[in-house]
Amino acid sequence: MQALTVHTGLVAPMDRANVDTDMIIPKQFLKSIKRSGFGPNLFDEVRYQDEGQPGKDNSKRPLNPDFPLNQERYQGASILLTRENFGCGSSREHAPWALEDFGFRVLIAPSFADIFYNNCFKNGILPVVLPAEVVSELFENLYSQPGFELTADLEKQEMRTVDGRSWSFDVDSFRRHCLLNGLDDIGTTLQSADKIRAYEEKRQVEAPWLFAG
Amino acid sequence: MYKKDEFVLFTWNSKLSASRKQQGCITVAGKTLYDKLWEAHLVDQRDDGSALLYIDRHLIHEVTSPQAFEGLRLAGRKPWRIGANLATADHNVPTTLLERQAGIEGIRDEVSRLQVKTLDDNCSSTGIMEFGLGDERQGIVHVMGPEQGATLPGMTIVCGDSHTSTHGAFGALAMGIGTSEVEHVLATQCLIQQKMKNMLVRVDGELGPGVTAKDVVLHIIGVIGTAGGTGHAIEFGGTAIHSLSVEGRMTICNMAIEAGARAGMVSVDDTTIDYFHGRPFAPRGEHWDLAVQAWRDLVSDDDAVFDRVVEIDAAAIEPQVSWGTSPEMVAGIRGRVPMLADMPSETQRQGLQRALQYMGLKEGQALTDIRLDRVFIGSCTNSRIEDLRAAASVVKGRKVSGSLKEALVVPGSGLVKKQAEQEGLDKVFTEAGFQWREPGCSMCLAMNADKLGQGEHCASTSNRNFEGRQGFGGRTHLVSPAMAAAAAIEGHFVDIREWGN
Ligand code: SF4
């Protein structure tokens, strides 16, 4: 998993509340046996004018010109600004996989759905909760200033604008530690490898039949 | 020692709710079975409240594992302990002999074929043992594991499938996990966990004739509800539970998840130990003696403390039929679909209305009046040999009703199928007009070609009656194998206790 300490990037809008994981990545793509490659189908139903299918050449599909991610000014965006309850619905980890594959590292919303929030940290994405008024202010800035950038500082737990405004945000310490150091759960657990081995040695004496196979 | 505080819970079958009691609890020392299993597998207790729990057995199937294997590869990791893993393809495999004969290449659906092939490739490249298509040990992962003795008492067992709770039936801690956790277990042989609460569901007394493990668990879910076990590990205890075979106990623990509990379990007794003796992966010789000695302790202490206790009177349980779109929407066979006016709240009234509409049923309708289109005998809940024997004894010498479009029997594993054929059960079924299929999940989740059509009613021995579960617009009624078999003969539900005499 990629570490995230301080991230500065172009901000793109997804200006609606209750964006569910079906909208983030529609079900037909879950047939995939891969964890990667979902980026071209991120927000598929609102991003393209036709119905997406696995295996279809996305570069030949008609784009929805009204969708921000298709517009020139948001190309290269790595921070997504959105509204309440982002990521609700199905627990599919394909949703953060698609966001990450597209290039998003930071999400900002007044609230996130629980499971989605968890899944983000497992995939190197920082979901930042800011008060609804702040989010609205950022939407205004974003629409009025082409090239609007933000800096998410996980070390200081602070979101900053170029013109010097800043807001603090909360993240629990275990998740923050993992993301700052680029550790996924597995990486963290493997830091306890000695303990796992010690357990296995002890257990092998107590219950040898469990290790016979 | 218990502080009794009877509380009122809404149940769909108010007649039966009188037999339900809930007790609050007090503090005494003593450990529950779950406490013991937890402590025996604790690798590390962290300051933030999370714990590292060691996993003895990881079962793998084709649908939830490909991304986990890919994750391992991308991170340059290897499985921590190859021998702790065991794989088989079940969810996405066809069940007709025609398609199965050619192995993986014979799978017509391209996407399914690739998924099954991927499992095969992942297992060969990592050295993980797999029972592939064509291997007689292949089958539904939760049937295959115990049958092989690959899942044993005292183990922690996980699989990327919520019905992993099945394996708790023999005093194991067994839970379903997500794809990230599949990868985590592959890489570390551990799971990051928080300890659940303890709940005891005690079923005492004698089960009536024609009442099976499936009826017991459906009844329990009807009483405690689909969120009744949320946040808890449920231990099923009492004389009625211990009078069941290990297969029957598996049926009960299988559906713990339908009561909201990630883990269900039954303590070890002689029946448990006898079940595992001589199974291929079970310990032998000296190891067997050591294991049995350890397994004897896999019971809750007499003074163990449970956060919740629910008592059920076995004699009050009737053969069950689910009528709605959630497993708690269930009633005894002599019951009726509830009345809208009887619903205690507006939310429940709306819930009932939605379910009635989806199921095409009328309020107050007798369950025996529900006409059926298909019958499915199979799934990890009820596809073991004793289930097939029970169904076969009902259909023997009879014919499937002409009003049915299809009646399927799908054995849980190749070995169950073989055993049934040795006993002549396949003939009993096919002569009656059932189709006799190859092992897999089949119509339980309809990921393959075995599906309900829109609006069709199915008597099913599976575990979920959610909207669309067995096919778009399909209507599932959960029942025991004997009840499904009798319904197949009649074309509608009948009370197995009176029928055929
Ligand atoms: S039989 Fe049904 S419930 Fe059981 S593992 Fe297969 S799909 Fe899941």
Side-chain angles (χ1 to χ4, degrees):
Chain A
M1 190 178 80
Q2 283 186 76
L4 191 146
T5 48
V6 180
H7 178 87
T8 300
L10 184 70
V11 186
M14 183 67 186
D15 198 354
R16 48 173 109 188
N18 301 309
V19 173
D20 60 47
T21 51
D22 250 293
M23 182 175 285
I24 299 172
I25 184 82
K27 59 183 168 295
Q28 60 268 37
F29 303 105
L30 312 193
K31 290 182 186 174
S32 170
I33 54 168
K34 301 209 174 299
R35 189 192 281 255
S36 51
F38 293 100
N41 299 107
L42 174 70
F43 299 124
D44 197 274
E45 288 177 6
V46 282
R47 181 165 159 198
Y48 299 96
Q49 290 177 323
D50 63 348
E51 192 191 350
Q53 283 301 335
K56 211 167 179 174
D57 182 354
N58 295 300
S59 67
K60 302 219 168 78
R61 297 173 57 197
L63 292 170
N64 169 6
D66 298 331
F67 188 64
L69 296 187
N70 291 332
Q71 295 164 5
E72 191 52 40
R73 62 182 288 192
Y74 298 120
Q75 296 313 301
S78 59
I79 299 179
L80 187 71
L81 183 66
T82 184
R83 302 283 184 180
E84 290 80 12
N85 201 26
F86 188 79
C88 59
S90 148
S91 65
R92 59 189 66 169
E93 214 165 304
H94 304 69
W97 293 343
L99 287 159
E100 196 268 346
D101 193 57
F102 184 89
F104 287 115
R105 298 300 313 282
V106 177
L107 312 174
I108 305 168
S111 60
F112 293 91
D114 279 351
I115 301 173
F116 175 81
Y117 185 79
N118 268 313
N119 284 342
C120 283
F121 284 95
K122 288 181 186 165
N123 293 282
I125 296 174
L126 173 64
V128 177
V129 178
L130 290 177
E133 321 79 77
V134 175
V135 169
S136 292
E137 184 181 328
L138 293 176
F139 267 110
E140 282 169 29
N141 297 160
L142 166 65
Y143 291 135
S144 61
Q145 303 167 30
F148 180 70
E149 289 192 344
L150 281 169
T151 297
D153 186 334
L154 181 57
E155 265 168 350
K156 293 188 181 150
Q157 294 184 216
E158 192 178 79
M159 186 69 70
R160 291 190 293 270
T161 57
V162 179
D163 60 16
R165 286 168 296 151
S166 69
W167 302 270
S168 65
F169 58 84
D170 288 336
V171 189
D172 81 68
S173 57
F174 177 72
R175 291 199 176 99
R176 177 172 172 271
H177 172 75
C178 288
L179 193 48
L180 281 175
N181 295 289
L183 302 171
D184 47 14
D185 285 352
I186 297 175
T188 316
T189 299
L190 287 174
Q191 288 180 341
S192 305
D194 289 347
K195 287 184 180 164
I196 303 172
R197 273 187 219 106
Y199 172 87
E200 284 180 327
E201 275 167 32
K202 173 180 73 92
R203 189 72 174 153
Q204 205 148 0
V205 175
E206 291 167 3
W209 64 91
L210 292 173
F211 296 83
Chain B
M1 296 298 272
Y2 291 120
K3 187 178 118 251
K4 278 198 184 182
D5 64 12
E6 184 91 8
F7 80 124
V8 181
L9 236 178
F10 170 73
T11 77
W12 292 102
N13 191 336
S14 53
K15 195 180 104 213
L16 294 172
S17 67
S19 67
R20 171 194 37 79
K21 279 189 213 126
Q22 153 105 7
Q23 299 176 331
C25 207
I26 28 66
T27 48
V28 211
K31 286 172 188 168
T32 65
L33 170 57
Y34 171 60
D35 293 340
K36 291 181 183 180
L37 290 165
W38 173 271
E39 282 168 22
H41 292 88
L42 197 60
V43 171
D44 193 18
Q45 179 70 56
R46 296 162 169 174
D47 297 339
D48 58 11
S50 67
L52 216 51
L53 206 63
Y54 191 78
I55 302 303
D56 295 314
R57 176 65 75 196
H58 181 210
L59 299 171
I60 298 169
H61 66 85
E62 75 278 27
V63 177
T64 53
S65 66
Q67 292 90 350
F69 278 107
E70 196 201 31
L72 271 195
R73 260 193 305 275
L74 291 175
R77 292 183 175 124
K78 298 232 174 313
W80 178 277
R81 207 181 120 209
I82 291 164
N85 299 281
L86 182 59
T88 196
D90 55 3
H91 284 65
N92 213 348
V93 300
T95 59
T96 57
L97 189 58
L98 191 69
E99 259 190 276
R100 283 289 277 273
Q101 269 164 341
I104 295 177
E105 295 314 318
I107 302 176
R108 284 194 201 121
D109 181 318
E110 229 177 283
V111 185
S112 301
R113 186 169 64 237
L114 179 62
Q115 204 166 50
V116 176
K117 175 87 168 62
T118 302
L119 177 68
D120 210 49
D121 294 346
N122 284 331
C123 290
S124 349
S125 66
T126 51
I128 288 173
M129 185 183 277
E130 184 203 6
F131 300 149
L133 289 190
D135 188 316
E136 66 178 7
R137 297 167 297 181
Q138 176 271 337
I140 304 172
V141 70
H142 310 309
V143 174
M144 173 279 280
E147 183 175 76
Q148 288 297 312
T151 51
L152 291 169
M155 277 184 166
T156 40
I157 300 154
V158 296
C159 173
D161 186 279
S162 63
H163 291 100
T164 308
S165 58
T166 310
H167 310 258
F170 32 88
L173 175 56
M175 292 171 298
I177 55 175
T179 294
S180 281
E181 288 175 312
V182 168
E183 185 181 338
H184 190 279
V185 171
L186 277 170
T188 70
Q189 212 49 52
C190 290
L191 205 57
I192 300 169
Q193 282 282 290
Q194 258 155 338
K195 200 173 174 207
M196 296 180 272
K197 288 186 178 164
N198 280 291
M199 178 168 175
L200 174 65
V201 175
R202 198 162 59 210
V203 189
D204 282 308
E206 245 179 86
L207 295 172
V211 178
T212 67
K214 181 64 162 288
D215 303 300
V216 173
V217 72
L218 284 171
H219 174 86
I220 291 170
I221 296 164
V223 170
I224 69 175
T226 46
T230 303
H232 293 78
I234 300 183
E235 177 174 342
F236 297 96
T239 53
I241 300 290
H242 282 276
S243 73
L244 296 169
S245 65
V246 173
E247 284 90 343
R249 298 173 193 183
M250 286 190 227
T251 301
I252 303 230
C253 291
N254 173 273
M255 292 191 71
I257 185 70
E258 259 54 68
R262 218 172 155 194
M265 58 194 76
V266 175
S267 64
V268 169
D269 59 12
D270 289 342
T271 309
T272 320
I273 290 168
D274 292 347
Y275 175 87
F276 285 102
H277 192 256
R279 295 202 177 257
F281 285 67
R284 288 170 196 281
E286 224 177 285
H287 279 180
W288 172 258
D289 298 336
L290 269 175
V292 168
Q293 207 184 337
W295 295 346
R296 292 271 179 212
D297 189 44
L298 296 173
V299 295
S300 289
D301 295 335
D302 288 341
D303 57 349
V305 179
F306 288 89
D307 299 284
R308 281 187 68 190
V309 177
V310 176
E311 290 175 343
I312 306 254
D313 174 13
I317 304 175
E318 298 186 285
Q320 303 283 301
V321 178
S322 79
W323 48 263
T325 51
S326 154
E328 69 183 16
M329 294 175 163
V330 67
I333 177 66
R334 291 184 204 175
R336 291 174 178 275
V337 175
M339 303 295 290
L340 287 163
D342 291 344
M343 293 298 104
S345 75
E346 181 56 20
T347 324
Q348 271 142 1
R349 206 189 63 82
Q350 284 172 1
L352 174 58
Q353 194 145 40
R354 223 178 10 232
L356 291 181
Q357 193 174 7
Y358 181 84
M359 294 298 291
L361 298 175
K362 292 193 193 68
E363 55 175 337
Q365 185 173 344
L367 298 183
T368 46
D369 287 347
I370 298 173
R371 311 298 309 183
L372 297 164
D373 302 287
R374 292 179 204 260
V375 170
F376 171 63
I377 297 174
S379 91
C380 57
T381 315
N382 285 125
S383 64
R384 286 169 282 266
I385 190 69
E386 87 170 20
D387 301 311
L388 303 190
R389 285 182 191 138
S393 73
V394 168
V395 302
K396 197 173 174 74
R398 298 185 164 102
K399 293 274 177 231
V400 166
S401 163
S403 63
L404 289 193
K405 292 180 185 145
E406 184 179 58
L408 285 186
V409 184
V410 186
S413 71
L415 287 169
V416 169
K417 181 169 183 266
K418 186 166 137 186
Q419 171 76 29
E421 287 171 356
Q422 278 164 5
E423 296 178 20
L425 305 184
D426 57 325
K427 295 272 172 341
V428 172
F429 285 118
T430 51
E431 278 164 16
F434 278 89
Q435 296 183 40
W436 179 247
R437 295 289 187 90
E438 300 300 305
C441 295
S442 180
M443 205 189 271
C444 172
L445 89 164
M447 218 172 150
N448 66 1
D450 310 336
K451 291 184 171 76
L452 298 184
Q454 199 161 358
E456 288 178 353
H457 287 268
C458 178
S460 177
T461 65
S462 56
N463 45 49
R464 282 183 175 151
N465 53 348
F466 301 155
E467 290 186 22
R469 171 75 178 182
Q470 294 190 288
F472 182 74
R475 296 160 170 170
T476 303
H477 300 279
L478 304 173
V479 286
S480 73
M483 285 284 284
I489 305 301
E490 292 297 334
H492 61 87
F493 290 113
V494 292
D495 188 342
I496 190 74
R497 294 168 299 182
E498 296 166 350
W499 181 78
N501 294 334

